[in-house]
Amino acid sequence: MVPNDPMILLSYVNTKLRDEYAALSDLCGDLGLSESALCHRLAAVGYTYDRTHNRFI
């Protein structure tokens, strides 16, 4: 289960990307999340996924 609060979600996802996953698609696949829905939720608070750094900035 992923956090509902967008700022906690951001921290959670970025930590997972840093520590466990080489790409957003891998994280979403393992957690059963829609990549586009996750990106949309975090875009709503001003963050976008940066493939080069493998994190939301």
Side-chain angles (χ1 to χ4, degrees):
M1 182 158 200
V2 297
N4 286 324
D5 180 274
M7 299 312 290
I8 295 173
L9 176 63
L10 171 68
S11 177
Y12 175 82
V13 168
N14 276 343
T15 299
K16 289 281 194 185
L17 289 169
R18 182 190 69 218
D19 295 346
E20 299 175 33
Y21 296 96
L24 182 61
S25 59
D26 296 335
L27 178 142
C28 288
D30 279 357
L31 298 179
L33 302 172
S34 162
E35 189 172 334
S36 62
L38 177 61
C39 288
H40 186 275
R41 283 179 67 189
L42 292 176
V45 291
Y47 290 87
T48 58
Y49 180 65
D50 181 314
R51 283 182 178 15
T52 303
H53 295 101
N54 191 37
R55 66 183 185 141
F56 282 87
I57 56 172

